[in-house]
Amino acid sequence: MLYYYQFDLAGIIILVFTVVSLWFRQRSLFRHAHYALCMLVTAFAFALSDALSAYLITLANPALYELTYIVLLVYFTALIIFPYFALQFIAKECGEMSHTGLALFIPVFFTLLLYFTNPSTGFFFVLQRNPLVYYSGRCYWISPGLYIFFMIYAAILVQKHRRLLGKQRCHVLMLVGIVSLGTFAMNFLLPNYSIVGFMIAVCISFTVISFYMADGVMDMLTGVYNRNGFLRGCDELIYKDKSNNLLLTKIKIHNLQEINERFGTRVGDLVLVRIADSLVKSRMSNKMIYGRIGGDTFAVLAEREYFEECPFHSNLGQFIGELISDMDYEVVFYSGVYPVKAEDSDVESILDRATYALDRVRGSFKEHVRFFDEELTAEYEQRSRIEQMARSALKHDAFRVYLQPIYDTMTRRLVSAEALVRWTDRDGTLISPDEFIPVFERNGFISQVDLFVLEEICKTIRSWIDHGIDPVPVSVNISRVDITSPRFADILVEVVDRYRIDHSLIKIELTESAFNDQLALIDSCMSQLRKQGFKILMDDFGSGYSNLNMFQDISVDIVKIDMKFLRNIDTNSKGRVILRSVVDMSKNLGLEIVVEGVETEEQFLIIREMSCEMTQGYYFSRPMPLQMFDDLLSYEHTKETYEEEVEEVLDEELA
Ligand code: C2E
Ligand code: CA
Ligand code: CA
């Protein structure tokens, strides 16, 4: 008999331990996981009343008759309320709340009513006062019967929502089911060694801990799904719903960081919690999944009608604004919407498309919502094609380096060149760098391409030197992505040194906009390279909203001004004024100037008049394959020597 309460007490210790460790590890959980907590509490009541009633019955003290009776009633009540909450917990994890709640409460309610009739009917148990003896009643089986019914229901739910629950949680639930059945069987076979209370405690602790600590699908701050939970929920909904009527929206709060900085993270958190709450309230049907999938990003998958009817979505900006109206500050958001098609099955790629649409609208002043329409579909497909082809392209020698000559503005002599990458696809079509560079910057492949270009250039310069041709310095473009690698400068130096090339022959071009972010990182990388003797060039100067203060923090040797920014310079006097002031400023800072994109004689004359040192553009030459550039360089070389010889002869003749 003693084993009864020893096991139950051990169970209680396990439950207390679970609650305490959850409290310390994930306190915010206690705000959201209501059913898990209810389940823990009723299990606690169950184990306690089980132990206490067993103990009281062993005492067999008639004076404790009333107490024993009440404890037994509590035990029987807990015996059915506990599995009820356990089922609710599973139903909530399966996103099934709407039907299960009331339907399951009815049998529980009637059983509870029956308990109150027990003193007169003895349906469930009979407690004899003197001597104090306990007998099972005629309807004793109702409680374990309900227990088993709930378990079967839970098994059906788990089966139905396998995708949503994920493998790990399904396995946990299956194990818990098997253990409970085993425990029940043991209870019947060896009634004196009942460990039901203990096993229930172990099962719950195991489930709760593995659900919330090991396989977290909830966002602890807001209590909605996190990315993991959202993706699983979407996967299930998309798998089941083929109505072609679902939209996935990704919503990003544009200025959360600013809100955090200005008003404190508490307010930032409040904004997030309010948004999540509104999503919960706006839920119209089971066909809706939402979650906070990133720090400042939410996502919603729902039927089209939801987005049309729900005030939350039609006016999100104002809505969020009202949430924190007291702080007189606008919460700016952007969203990208992807209409899910019947053939779409991969959630990650669905989300990726919504992200693509979102990225296209982020930062815009005019619109805040962008649909993944036909235009974006075409762009996106092209991007995916490029990504797919990219890896094999390097192996298959599909990239080529072209050189565009750069001339001295005064003497019209070839003084330098810029390396530009070219990509010929398998069927021979040329893909423009403007198309693939942004894609490569996103997936990081650009670093490999840039190193490839550098290596080709080093080979080329080496061969010039070996063939006795006077080399000209060549500039290579590097992407901001390269600089994020801390070893970038070392790798670059290693390549150049491997070809025994003087560092002054390599110039590094970095586009102006790259200087806007990660200034410290860029500055340290650039100064390291400058110390090694490489020239640094700021490309596309004037293209963005140039921050002139930047020059105080960053050291460059050359600025490259693109004529694109000053189109119609020959006819537009304002453009000329701008160019003049940029040129003056650069000169005052002691920087050399290259003007690129020079296409006409007029443009050339203007920049010559402004005494810009170097020119690059179609007016002089288009980018050309390496071989052609070799010929050009040799020709320039011989022309130069020829001219020098002629001059010498003339000088001699004059003398
Ligand atoms: P960028 O660095 O500004 O390169 C100059 C672009 O202007 C080149 O286009 C060049 O062909 C073009 N161009 C030169 N002269 C003229 C002209 O007179 N008129 C006009 N309209 N255009 C002219 P390209 O080769 O298509 O390269 C586009 C961009 O792709 C480059 O702009 C650069 O940002 C990037 N890129 C090219 N090669 C590489 C590379 O190896 N690595 C990295 N990271 N980026 C590269
Ligand atoms: Ca460039
Ligand atoms: Ca440029």
Side-chain angles (χ1 to χ4, degrees):
M1 268 317 229
L2 258 180
Y3 293 106
Y4 264 132
Y5 43 88
Q6 279 182 359
F7 279 122
D8 282 338
L9 290 179
I12 289 172
I13 293 170
I14 289 177
L15 288 173
V16 171
F17 184 75
T18 309
V19 174
V20 170
S21 53
L22 275 175
W23 174 262
F24 281 109
R25 275 282 317 268
Q26 290 182 325
R27 194 171 304 191
S28 49
L29 185 83
F30 288 81
R31 275 191 283 137
H32 306 298
H34 312 297
Y35 286 104
L37 291 181
C38 289
M39 188 169 72
L40 276 165
V41 169
T42 45
F44 193 85
F46 174 80
L48 194 65
S49 56
D50 193 18
L52 198 58
S53 58
Y55 180 67
L56 289 170
I57 291 168
T58 351
L59 284 184
N61 184 349
L64 296 176
Y65 176 82
E66 279 76 16
L67 179 65
T68 314
Y69 206 102
I70 291 171
V71 172
L72 277 168
L73 272 183
V74 171
Y75 167 76
F76 273 91
T77 310
L79 188 64
I80 58 158
I81 292 200
F82 159 71
Y84 170 72
F85 279 127
L87 181 59
Q88 294 293 321
F89 169 70
I90 293 173
K92 181 158 198 286
E93 291 293 321
C94 296
E96 274 274 358
M97 277 323 289
S98 45
H99 339 296
T100 41
L102 195 66
L104 293 177
F105 188 71
I106 293 168
V108 172
F109 180 74
F110 282 107
T111 315
L112 286 178
L113 275 185
L114 276 183
Y115 284 157
F116 286 102
T117 64
N118 194 61
S120 52
T121 59
F123 268 155
F124 295 91
F125 62 90
V126 178
L127 193 66
Q128 187 184 298
R129 189 186 288 267
N130 209 350
L132 193 103
V133 186
Y134 167 88
Y135 304 103
S136 302
R138 268 171 296 151
C139 300
Y140 167 77
W141 53 269
I142 289 187
S143 319
L146 259 182
Y147 200 113
I148 291 182
F149 168 69
F150 285 147
M151 257 182 71
I152 294 171
Y153 201 118
I156 294 171
L157 282 185
V158 171
Q159 177 62 20
K160 190 173 153 204
H161 295 285
R162 285 190 314 280
R163 298 177 84 91
L164 173 69
L165 289 168
K167 268 204 190 102
Q168 193 183 347
R169 295 199 296 166
C170 278
H171 289 167
V172 167
L173 288 174
M174 248 151 63
L175 192 70
V176 164
I178 293 168
V179 169
S180 321
L181 284 178
T183 312
F184 262 117
M186 182 172 167
N187 195 33
F188 280 106
L189 297 173
L190 303 166
N192 283 354
Y193 293 85
S194 167
I195 50 167
V196 178
F198 173 72
M199 286 322 287
I200 283 181
V202 172
C203 287
I204 296 175
S205 302
F206 184 55
T207 314
V208 170
I209 289 183
S210 59
F211 271 36
Y212 288 116
M213 286 182 158
D215 185 26
V217 290
M218 286 308 193
D219 173 44
M220 286 304 155
L221 174 70
T222 57
V224 294
Y225 279 137
N226 60 16
R227 187 184 163 88
N228 191 11
F230 176 76
L231 290 180
R232 279 197 206 156
C234 290
D235 178 52
E236 183 178 79
L237 185 53
I238 290 165
Y239 177 74
K240 286 181 181 162
D241 185 292
K242 294 283 171 222
S243 64
N244 235 346
N245 192 30
L246 292 171
L247 298 183
L248 189 138
T249 304
K250 186 170 171 183
I251 306 161
K252 190 176 174 76
I253 307 169
H254 189 58
N255 50 355
L256 186 65
Q257 198 185 346
E258 225 173 300
I259 295 173
N260 282 335
E261 279 163 13
R262 280 179 65 163
F263 305 98
T265 41
R266 220 184 49 78
V267 175
D269 285 354
L270 188 71
V271 172
L272 293 168
V273 169
R274 294 266 174 85
I275 294 175
D277 287 350
S278 339
L279 281 172
V280 175
K281 281 194 203 114
S282 69
R283 186 172 168 168
M284 299 199 299
S285 80
N286 260 7
K287 284 192 183 175
M288 176 174 173
I289 308 283
Y290 44 78
R292 177 173 166 235
I293 58 170
D296 54 2
T297 316
F298 287 84
V300 183
L301 176 72
E303 288 169 299
R304 194 175 285 268
E305 295 75 35
Y306 167 76
F307 294 96
E308 282 157 10
E309 287 166 29
C310 174
F312 175 62
H313 277 277
S314 48
N315 211 349
L316 192 56
Q318 192 196 342
F319 187 87
I320 303 174
E322 282 167 12
L323 293 178
I324 39 173
S325 53
D326 41 326
M327 73 186 195
D328 187 27
Y329 188 76
E330 195 190 354
V331 182
V332 182
F333 81 96
Y334 289 98
S335 57
V337 187
Y338 176 72
V340 182
K341 297 192 192 71
E343 65 269 21
D344 290 327
S345 58
D346 178 31
V347 192
E348 292 274 3
S349 77
I350 290 173
L351 189 61
D352 192 46
R353 281 161 224 222
T355 308
Y356 191 76
L358 175 66
D359 286 345
R360 292 298 302 271
V361 72
R362 256 166 68 189
S364 148
F365 293 107
K366 275 192 288 186
E367 39 170 21
H368 287 253
V369 181
R370 178 75 206 245
F371 257 78
F372 194 87
D373 50 18
E374 269 167 26
E375 183 195 344
L376 289 197
T377 309
E379 272 178 30
Y380 184 85
E381 275 165 13
Q382 171 70 349
R383 192 192 77 169
S384 310
R385 252 199 312 280
I386 287 174
E387 270 177 349
Q388 272 167 15
M389 293 190 305
R391 306 248 156 238
S392 63
L394 259 186
K395 278 194 219 113
H396 292 106
D397 216 17
F399 292 108
R400 287 267 180 283
V401 179
Y402 274 42
L403 281 173
Q404 186 174 26
I406 298 173
Y407 290 87
D408 184 305
T409 316
M410 295 305 150
T411 64
R412 293 187 181 232
R413 284 215 170 118
L414 176 66
V415 286
S416 183
E418 175 178 7
L420 294 160
V421 71
R422 292 290 174 267
W423 181 7
T424 337
D425 141 11
R426 277 205 191 143
D427 52 21
T429 46
L430 208 76
I431 308 170
S432 150
D434 291 328
E435 243 175 287
F436 66 82
I437 301 275
V439 180
F440 288 1
E441 283 186 334
R442 260 177 67 115
N443 67 10
F445 191 60
I446 189 71
S447 307
Q448 269 167 273
V449 173
D450 285 348
L451 275 180
F452 164 79
V453 172
L454 177 71
E455 184 127 15
E456 289 297 294
I457 289 307
C458 290
K459 269 186 216 160
T460 308
I461 297 181
R462 184 74 255 155
S463 100
W464 292 340
I465 297 171
D466 291 347
H467 287 92
I469 303 172
D470 258 354
V472 289
V474 177
S475 54
V476 290
N477 290 286
I478 63 163
S479 152
R480 74 187 76 193
V481 180
D482 298 327
I483 295 168
T484 52
S485 151
R487 289 206 52 241
F488 174 73
D490 297 337
I491 296 173
L492 193 140
V493 173
E494 187 271 316
V495 173
V496 178
D497 287 350
R498 186 148 32 90
Y499 290 90
R500 291 169 287 116
I501 286 169
D502 196 288
H503 294 183
S504 64
L505 286 175
I506 301 290
K507 294 192 265 183
I508 312 288
E509 283 194 19
L510 189 60
T511 176
E512 179 204 67
S513 59
F515 288 86
N516 288 337
D517 40 64
Q518 303 170 311
L519 203 69
L521 193 68
I522 287 173
D523 190 41
S524 89
C525 180
M526 290 301 131
S527 352
Q528 198 182 337
L529 289 171
R530 268 187 109 211
K531 272 193 211 117
Q532 293 268 1
F534 294 97
K535 286 242 162 85
I536 310 295
L537 206 142
M538 186 186 284
D539 200 355
D540 302 336
F541 183 65
S543 61
Y545 300 96
S546 318
N547 181 355
L548 296 180
N549 277 330
M550 203 154 61
F551 283 110
Q552 293 189 350
D553 303 322
I554 219 128
S555 38
V556 297
D557 305 281
I558 305 170
V559 290
K560 201 174 218 187
I561 305 165
D562 200 314
M563 279 308 233
K564 274 200 290 280
F565 318 126
L566 310 156
R567 277 287 163 248
N568 309 326
I569 184 127
D570 23 8
T571 52
N572 181 341
S573 59
K574 271 192 200 155
R576 210 183 280 213
V577 173
I578 295 170
L579 181 62
R580 160 118 274 149
S581 42
V582 172
V583 168
D584 285 348
M585 189 199 68
S586 307
K587 281 185 188 288
N588 291 338
L589 287 167
L591 303 170
E592 279 183 85
I593 300 167
V594 183
V595 181
E596 72 175 329
V598 177
E599 289 181 348
T600 62
E601 170 98 35
E602 288 82 356
Q603 289 173 342
F604 172 69
L605 291 177
I606 290 168
I607 58 163
R608 192 160 82 156
E609 188 249 317
M610 290 184 189
S611 328
C612 302
E613 285 87 356
M614 287 171 270
T615 340
Q616 169 184 1
Y618 295 170
Y619 173 60
F620 281 90
S621 164
R622 291 189 175 244
M624 56 183 80
L626 290 175
Q627 182 59 48
M628 253 172 95
F629 189 87
D630 282 358
D631 298 343
L632 181 72
L633 193 60
S634 321
Y635 166 73
E636 285 275 329
H637 186 63
T638 37
K639 190 175 80 179
E640 215 169 282
T641 12
Y642 172 73
E643 279 170 6
E644 269 165 24
E645 275 167 16
V646 170
E647 247 166 61
E648 262 170 43
V649 172
L650 281 176
D651 284 348
E652 269 169 31
E653 274 178 11
L654 273 175

